[in-house]
């Protein structure tokens, strides 16, 4: 069953209200907020590569406040253990039974701050829950619930003492982007409200977490024409065949694009995906999935340059991909 025109209009109106509400706490960052909600409704995760103090924690709090969800922040450090993330089973002497104490991943919005400062073993504790929204501890599986989204951050500077995220984990992030510093006008507004330490507390919840799950299910019914699917496949193949890359976009990356494009199209009031949606989302959905050849990278090649060339070389379908 494909989303109707009326449902697409409702989806877009609700999407705009959600973005505007978070925008009251995270000033001047509408595009980033839009991308983050796209990831949430596509049931994916976001990796922010940003300098400290750009509003990542504020964004997580504002998202949770808007959808009446829970949130938690994990400060990743070298001594952080996997059980500090997922939870631990403890023996209760009174009941003489083992009880599972849930970790911070059992929230709707989880901010994994400076994820690259934790050991690979601790980083990998997030793999199962990011992919399947569940955690397995001592042979027992626990569901994380819906919506569930990880907002991970890594500092692009001060790389000493950090552990680079492996390609397998990078591939599990639907979107990689940055918030960046606010523009002049937004900065002035922020400074004028310096007494408000947490603007998210001023936000009024708009929908429930169940409504978010329903919106995600509705977005999944957005129509994607076969021509657009073929276009996505050709783009992925070209990234794999590029001389500058060792690994191109994976099948998981192609599926991620389809999910993200469905939400992006519905957020604009359409019940069908256009090739332009793919072009607009490609930099944030695919760039971090490209593994560059060391020699090409040394010569100055970047994933952004490769992807830009591929988008220019592969012809997009001309027809209007309507439902």
């Amino acid at each position: 069953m494909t989303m109707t025109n009326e449902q697409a209009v409702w989806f877009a109106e609700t999407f705009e209200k959600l973005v505007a509400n978070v925008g009251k706490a995270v000033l001047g960052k509408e595009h980033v907020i839009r991308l983050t909600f796209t990831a949430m409704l596509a049931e994916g995760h976001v990796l922010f590569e940003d300098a400290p103090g750009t509003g990542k924690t504020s964004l997580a709090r504002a998202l949770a406040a808007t959808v009446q969800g829970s949130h938690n922040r994990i400060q990743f450090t070298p001594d952080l253990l996997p059980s500090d993330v997922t939870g631990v089973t403890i023996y209760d002497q009174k009941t003489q039974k083992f009880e599972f104490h849930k970790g911070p991943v059992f929230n709707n919005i989880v901010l994994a701050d400076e994820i690259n400062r934790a050991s690979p073993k601790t980083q990998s504790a997030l793999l199962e829950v990011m992919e399947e929204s569940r955690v397995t501890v001592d042979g027992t599986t626990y569901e994380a619930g819906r919506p569930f989204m990880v907002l991970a951050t890594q500092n692009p500077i001060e790389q000493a003492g950090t552990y680079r995220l492996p390609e397998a984990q990078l591939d599990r992030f639907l979107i990689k982007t940055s918030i960046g510093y606010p523009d002049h006008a937004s900065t002035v507004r922020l400074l004028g409200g310096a007494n408000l330490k947490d603007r998210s507390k001023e936000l009024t919840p708009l929908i429930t977490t169940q409504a978010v799950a329903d919106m995600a299910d509705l977005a999944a019914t957005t129509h994607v024409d076969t021509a657009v699917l073929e276009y996505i496949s050709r783009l992925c193949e070209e990234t794999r065949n590029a001389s500058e890359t060792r690994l191109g976009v994976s099948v998981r990356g192609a599926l991620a694009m389809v999910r993200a494009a469905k939400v992006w199209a519905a957020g604009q009031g359409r019940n069908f995906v256009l090739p332009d949606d793919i072009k607009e989302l490609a930099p944030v959905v695919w760039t971090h999935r490209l593994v560059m050849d060391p020699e090409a990278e040394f010569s100055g090649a970047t994933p952004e340059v490769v992807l830009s060339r591929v988008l220019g070389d592969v012809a997009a379908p001309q027809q209007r991909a309507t439902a």
Side-chain angles (χ1 to χ4, degrees):
M1 181 178 177
T2 303
M3 180 190 300
T4 65
N5 290 328
E6 292 76 15
Q7 289 174 323
V9 171
W10 172 85
F11 189 101
E13 291 175 350
T14 306
F15 192 89
E16 290 298 330
K17 291 177 182 177
L18 295 174
V19 171
N21 199 56
V22 174
K24 297 176 183 177
V26 185
L27 304 181
K29 296 298 175 183
E30 180 182 333
H31 184 67
V32 174
I33 297 170
R34 193 176 296 275
L35 287 174
T36 308
F37 268 118
T38 296
M40 177 186 286
L41 296 173
E43 299 189 291
H45 312 283
V46 183
L47 175 62
F48 291 105
E49 191 168 75
D50 256 318
T54 53
K56 299 178 288 291
T57 302
S58 296
L59 176 59
R61 289 174 177 170
L63 288 168
T66 297
V67 302
Q68 295 185 19
S70 59
H71 78 279
N72 207 326
R73 175 180 176 275
I74 311 172
Q75 180 63 54
F76 278 67
T77 56
D79 60 347
L80 192 73
L81 300 175
S83 58
D84 295 328
V85 176
T86 59
V88 63
T89 302
I90 299 176
Y91 183 73
D92 190 330
Q93 292 184 341
K94 292 183 179 180
T95 61
Q96 296 186 346
K97 293 181 179 179
F98 285 96
E99 293 185 356
F100 178 64
H101 292 246
K102 293 182 177 180
V105 293
F106 289 92
N107 285 274
N108 300 119
I109 311 292
V110 177
L111 179 64
D113 209 4
E114 295 190 292
I115 189 173
N116 56 332
R117 293 203 178 277
S119 67
K121 185 176 182 179
T122 301
Q123 290 176 7
S124 66
L126 282 172
L127 288 178
E128 181 186 14
V129 68
M130 287 176 66
E131 186 70 17
E132 303 175 21
S133 295
R134 65 185 185 185
V135 173
T136 302
V137 178
D138 295 332
T140 303
T141 299
Y142 305 91
E143 297 294 330
R146 296 177 71 194
F148 171 74
M149 181 168 66
V150 173
L151 300 179
T153 76
Q154 59 180 8
N155 194 335
I157 59 175
E158 297 179 1
Q159 294 297 315
T162 64
Y163 301 87
R164 183 175 178 178
L165 289 176
E167 285 72 22
Q169 186 149 353
L170 278 173
D171 206 30
R172 281 170 169 78
F173 285 99
L174 180 72
I175 287 173
K176 180 184 177 185
T177 186
S178 64
I179 296 178
Y181 294 114
D183 56 31
H184 175 73
S186 299
T187 301
V188 172
R189 288 178 58 193
L190 284 167
L191 296 177
N195 58 310
L196 297 174
K197 292 185 178 180
D198 185 1
R199 289 175 175 267
S200 65
K201 292 182 179 179
E202 307 296 319
L203 298 183
T204 302
L206 296 186
I207 59 175
T208 63
T209 52
Q210 180 58 51
V212 173
D214 292 340
M215 286 185 71
D217 291 336
L218 179 60
T221 66
T222 304
H223 175 72
V224 186
D225 192 79
T226 303
V228 177
L229 296 176
E230 291 177 349
Y231 177 55
I232 294 171
S233 179
R234 287 198 301 271
L235 290 171
C236 293
E237 290 170 3
E238 287 301 312
T239 64
R240 299 166 195 159
N241 296 332
S243 60
E244 302 95 331
T245 62
R246 291 177 60 188
L247 290 175
V249 177
S250 66
V251 175
R252 182 188 285 121
L255 291 169
M257 174 59 79
V258 174
R259 296 200 312 271
K262 285 183 174 185
V263 178
W264 193 258
Q268 297 180 45
R270 285 184 278 107
N271 62 348
F272 56 90
V273 173
L274 292 175
D276 285 346
D277 297 325
I278 310 304
K279 294 179 181 179
E280 192 165 4
L281 290 171
V284 294
V285 177
W286 281 346
T287 300
H288 62 286
R289 304 175 194 271
L290 302 183
V291 179
M292 303 299 293
D293 179 79
E295 291 186 8
E297 197 169 19
F298 182 77
S299 300
T302 64
E304 291 80 6
V305 170
V306 172
L307 190 56
S308 178
R309 190 189 70 238
V310 168
L311 289 170
D313 290 346
V314 178
Q318 298 298 315
Q319 68 271 25
R320 184 179 176 85
T322 57

